[in-house]
């Protein structure tokens, strides 16, 4: 079997929208290695349904997209990062179309749908509800025309290698737990999200917070980790994965009903089902709490809409629900909220640079502050395109192929970042299950100081039981554990409610103290 080369020019960890887009940029400057821990097609990008937001329709303006993004961010978005997103978005989308992406059209005109908290119809979609898959397909097709890019599936990145204070490579691990180092001029983390820190999540199994945990161990800064978006409507069928039921369903007119079959959203918010995600998720959490059902759920109801239109507009959702004997045109769909998207992550500037030389990040794993305290729906595929391209360009300029190589002679001065667990411990799956349950209960949609402190104490106790990081699953257990702790610490430090972070003991904003980003490095946490 072919092994990953020991040396290349650029290492891209992650083959979703951000990693692919960056790799295309880097291919002009040298050899690019793109790694994915499962198949190339297993990423959040592949599951993105609703679409990609971009101010391209006749009725839209870039300034309106900017305003909606800032409003969703609830006072915490970095306005410069948001401006870059909306201004560069149209160029990146046009480029995608030039590379063969088939967005849905009516005749020759692109069709835009409306999603919650958007003031205009500005969400492009492909094959109805398979937008991410189509974008991933087109990016991969483009990348394979560039001879310097090589893709490696099923190559798990266990850690970053730090060499003379510079990130100079990665440690990869195969399925048998055999590890080896790969060195390069720069490493881009594009590892996506962290949904699997939580028991209930819409994310694919690859989203175990690896990038965040690796960067933390290497000494990078993390920003806004307390802001995790919970999607209000994931299909709830016992023992089945929590399949996402896109916001676009509510955009097309779906209603939410509680166990008594009452449409409840109008009593929580004037925009009813189209209220911001965190409002809808909390409203559902409340309805579930007061419900008397043994397996509490609420229902998404599209039965008042034309079933033919519903099936045609959402073919993937329609066929997936049919596997569970639910016809979305005629049946009520049982739903619960689930962890969906991380606004926080590895702190970067607007060019993907972290504070560690040689380390860059883009996409969901990164935090430029673009989403602030809450992400506007369908802004993340755009973020992957815009900031993936930016990171690629920056790396190309800062570490051109002709530049002096970092010294890894004999790899003597390289070290894998500090590995917290080197002892025999509990089984990886057991730890993962326990952490995910705890995170859902204490670090989830509704938080409190006592619940967060309890979670941190419990996690500290479990630290002693973490297994050694000698297999991929053990690394994931350690990463999930580390990421849960980072979210809990940041959430405990933010003594207010804002965006997706809601605390029962501090239910309001505190602009004077907390209209700032939380930044964690090692044991310290600060706001700035
Ligand atoms: C169900 C669902 C629906 C969504 N719908 C939308 C939508 O309609 N519009 C929108 O804008 N956003 C949507 N999102 C969010 C959006 O899809 C993601 O934020 C975005 O695709 C993230 O892209 P990414 O490139 O950062 O990461 P991903 O696409 O998640 O890719 C991560 C990559 O990193 C690799 N990786 C991770 N860890 C390691 C490791 N240790 N070693 C090696 N490789 C590793 C994975 O294998 C994968 O290739 C949705 C998300 C989900 C889960």
């Amino acid at each position: 079997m072919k092994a990953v080369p020991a040396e290349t020019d650029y290492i891209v960890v992650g083959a979703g929208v951000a990693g692919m887009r960056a790799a295309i940029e880097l291919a002009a400057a040298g050899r690019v290695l793109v790694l994915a821990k499962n198949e190339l097609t297993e990423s959040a990008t592949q599951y993105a349904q609703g679409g990609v937001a971009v101010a391209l329709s006749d009725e839209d303006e870039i300034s309106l997209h900017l305003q909606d993004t800032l409003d969703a961010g609830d006072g915490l978005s970095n306005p410069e990062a948001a401006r870059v997103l909306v201004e560069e978005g149209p160029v990146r989308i046009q480029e995608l179309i030039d590379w063969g992406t088939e967005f849905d059209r009516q005749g020759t005109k692109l069709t835009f749908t409306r999603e919650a908290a958007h003031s205009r119809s500005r969400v492009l979609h492909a094959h109805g509800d398979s937008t991410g898959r189509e974008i991933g397909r087109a990016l991969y097709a483009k990348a394979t025309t560039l001879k310097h890019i090589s893709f490696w599936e099923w190559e798990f990145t266990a850690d970053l290698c730090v060499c003379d204070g510079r990130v100079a490579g990665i440690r990869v691990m195969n399925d048998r737990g055999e590890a080896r180092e790969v060195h390069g001029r720069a490493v881009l983390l594009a590892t996506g999200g962290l949904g699997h820190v939580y028991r209930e999540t819409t994310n694919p199994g690859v989203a175990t917070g690896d990038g965040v945990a690796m960067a933390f161990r290497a000494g990078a800064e993390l920003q806004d980790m307390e802001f995790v978006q919970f999607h209000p409507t994931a299909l709830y069928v016992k023992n089945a994965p929590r399949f996402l039921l896109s916001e676009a369903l509510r955009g097309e007119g779906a209603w939410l009903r509680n166990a008594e079959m009452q449409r409840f959203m109008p009593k929580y918010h004037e925009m009813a089902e189209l209220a911001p995600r965190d409002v809808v998720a909390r409203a559902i959490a409340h309805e579930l709490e007061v419900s008397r059902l043994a397996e509490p759920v609420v229902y998404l109801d599209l039965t008042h809409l034309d079933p033919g239109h519903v099936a045609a507009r959402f073919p993937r959702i329609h066929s997936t629900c049919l596997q569970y004997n639910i016809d979305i045109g005629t049946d009520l769909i049982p739903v619960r909220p689930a962890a969906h998207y991380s606004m926080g992550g590895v702190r970067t500037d607007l060019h993907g640079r972290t504070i560690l030389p040689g380390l860059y990040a883009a996409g969901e794993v990164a935090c430029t502050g673009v989403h602030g305290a809450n992400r506007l729906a369908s802004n993340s595929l755009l973020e992957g395109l815009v900031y993936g391209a930016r990171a690629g360009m920056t790396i190309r300029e800062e570490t051109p192929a002709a530049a002096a190589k970092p010294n890894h002679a004999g790899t003597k001065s390289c070290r894998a970042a500090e590995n917290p667990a080197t002892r025999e411990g509990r089984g990886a799956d057991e730890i993962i299950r326990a952490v995910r349950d705890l995170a859902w209960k204490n670090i989830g949609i509704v938080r409190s100081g006592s619940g967060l402190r309890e979670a941190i104490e419990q996690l500290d106790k479990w630290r002693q039981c973490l297994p050694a990081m000698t297999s991929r699953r053990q690394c994931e257990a350690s990463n999930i554990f580390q990421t849960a702790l980072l979210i809990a610490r940041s959430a405990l430090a933010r003594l207010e409610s804002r965006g997706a972070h809601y605390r029962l003991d501090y239910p309001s904003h505190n602009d004077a103290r907390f209209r700032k980003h939380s930044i964690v490095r090692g044991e310290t946490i600060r706001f700035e």
Side-chain angles (χ1 to χ4, degrees):
M1 212 168 81
K2 249 172 61 181
V4 196
E7 199 255 327
T8 186
D9 292 316
Y10 307 113
I11 299 167
V12 176
V13 188
V17 60
M20 291 269 194
R21 185 59 193 81
I24 289 169
E25 218 52 61
L26 286 166
R31 294 162 298 163
V32 190
L33 205 67
V34 181
L35 301 146
K37 72 183 199 185
N38 282 15
E39 302 94 333
L40 286 181
T41 48
E42 190 60 0
S43 63
T45 297
Q46 290 289 324
Y47 293 91
Q49 299 171 348
V52 53
V54 64
L56 273 177
S57 81
D58 296 341
E59 61 162 22
D60 206 357
E61 289 169 31
I62 282 173
S63 60
L64 296 174
H65 190 186
L66 177 61
Q67 195 53 52
D68 291 345
T69 301
L70 297 177
D71 289 347
D74 203 4
L76 208 66
S77 297
N78 171 349
E80 197 46 27
R83 190 189 58 74
V84 165
L85 178 82
V86 298
E87 282 186 2
E88 295 184 10
V91 180
R92 298 279 87 94
I93 293 294
Q94 187 52 53
E95 187 178 67
L96 267 190
I97 294 171
D98 295 343
W99 293 342
T101 310
E102 291 178 2
F103 289 115
D104 294 335
R105 293 173 186 263
Q106 240 172 1
T108 54
K109 269 190 122 176
L110 290 165
T111 48
F112 296 86
T113 202
R114 178 103 175 242
E115 285 193 353
H118 286 273
S119 59
R120 293 287 185 280
S121 296
R122 68 163 67 94
V123 178
L124 283 177
H125 42 90
H127 308 297
D129 52 5
S130 292
T131 315
R133 192 193 288 173
E134 172 60 10
I135 290 177
R137 183 202 63 74
L139 287 173
Y140 181 69
K142 171 70 183 170
T144 51
T145 65
L146 306 171
K147 66 175 186 227
H148 287 311
I149 305 182
S150 60
F151 289 98
W152 292 83
E153 301 184 303
W154 296 100
E155 289 292 348
F156 182 80
T157 302
D159 250 320
L160 299 169
C161 296
V162 184
C163 190
D164 295 338
R166 182 183 176 87
V167 172
I170 54 172
R171 199 162 65 89
V172 289
M173 192 180 274
N174 65 18
D175 278 354
R176 294 181 297 283
E178 296 159 351
R180 56 182 307 206
E181 291 190 2
V182 183
H183 295 146
R185 296 168 198 287
V187 176
L188 173 74
L189 287 176
T191 50
L194 49 76
H196 277 261
V197 166
Y198 290 93
R199 191 185 70 208
E200 310 279 336
T201 180
T202 62
N203 288 192
V206 292
T208 51
D210 298 351
V212 160
M214 277 189 268
F216 179 75
R217 288 196 288 273
E221 288 180 337
L222 304 175
Q223 181 173 304
D224 294 341
M225 288 300 296
E226 63 274 36
F227 295 109
V228 177
Q229 185 176 80
F230 294 87
H231 199 288
T233 54
L235 175 67
Y236 181 77
V237 175
K238 207 174 174 185
N239 298 327
R242 299 287 174 263
F243 178 70
L244 178 91
L245 296 169
S246 166
E247 199 117 50
L249 290 164
R250 279 173 285 131
E252 293 282 335
W255 293 330
L256 279 162
R257 295 190 183 279
N258 61 17
E260 276 78 47
M261 294 300 128
Q262 284 156 356
R263 189 179 163 209
F264 57 87
M265 272 317 296
K267 79 177 182 226
Y268 289 93
H269 198 277
E270 66 203 11
M271 289 176 78
E273 280 81 2
L274 292 183
R277 270 185 192 173
D278 57 295
V279 175
V280 183
R282 277 200 300 280
I284 295 177
H286 183 70
E287 294 291 327
L288 296 177
E289 209 178 295
V290 298
S291 150
R292 292 204 197 98
L293 295 178
E295 293 273 336
V297 288
V298 298
Y299 299 94
L300 207 50
D301 179 3
L302 291 92
T303 57
H304 52 289
L305 305 177
D306 169 15
H309 170 72
V310 166
R313 173 68 183 84
F314 302 104
R316 196 168 173 186
I317 295 176
H318 182 245
S319 62
T320 304
C321 289
L322 275 183
Q323 291 170 16
Y324 303 104
N325 292 323
I326 299 164
D327 183 333
I328 62 170
T330 53
D331 297 326
L332 294 180
I333 316 168
V335 296
R336 280 187 186 177
H340 185 55
Y341 182 84
S342 170
M343 274 69 76
V346 182
R347 188 176 193 219
T348 69
D349 66 10
L350 302 190
H351 302 275
R353 300 182 193 101
T354 71
I355 58 161
L356 300 181
L359 183 65
Y360 300 77
E364 191 170 337
V365 69
C367 182
T368 58
V370 68
H371 305 298
N374 213 349
R375 175 192 65 131
L376 184 67
S378 291
N379 260 355
S380 39
L381 288 172
L382 195 68
E383 179 194 22
L385 291 168
V386 168
Y387 283 99
R390 282 190 148 232
M393 288 174 206
T394 306
I395 297 170
R396 207 172 64 189
E397 280 158 24
E398 293 182 347
T399 54
K405 284 187 186 180
N407 167 34
H408 16 78
T411 69
K412 260 175 110 183
S413 52
C414 288
R415 63 172 175 88
E418 199 68 21
N419 175 340
T422 51
R423 64 193 80 77
E424 288 293 311
R426 280 158 73 175
D429 284 323
E430 193 187 338
I431 280 283
I432 289 174
R433 219 176 6 256
V435 173
R436 294 182 71 196
D437 275 345
L438 181 72
W440 185 249
K441 212 167 100 237
N442 291 33
I443 324 170
I445 301 172
V446 177
R447 302 162 173 177
S448 68
S450 57
L452 291 166
R453 270 189 292 275
E454 188 186 295
I456 292 169
E457 275 167 29
Q458 186 60 64
L459 288 167
D460 276 338
K461 280 187 203 147
W462 287 342
R463 191 190 292 279
Q464 307 310 319
C465 316
L466 281 180
M469 287 170 70
T470 52
S471 76
R472 170 188 163 142
R473 197 61 179 152
Q474 288 169 344
C475 291
E476 288 179 338
S478 189
N479 294 339
I480 285 174
F481 168 88
Q482 186 63 68
T483 307
L485 193 51
L486 286 162
I487 298 170
R489 281 174 59 199
S490 307
L492 183 62
R494 183 173 289 280
L495 305 178
E496 65 160 358
S497 292
R498 184 183 296 275
H501 168 72
Y502 184 77
R503 281 190 57 161
L504 280 171
D505 45 351
Y506 294 96
S508 320
H509 283 172
N510 181 341
D511 280 346
R513 279 186 69 193
F514 291 110
R515 197 169 174 180
K516 294 175 179 167
H517 300 286
S518 65
I519 297 161
V520 184
R521 190 178 189 200
E523 291 309 307
T524 62
I525 181 160
R526 66 183 199 277
F527 285 85
E528 70 175 48

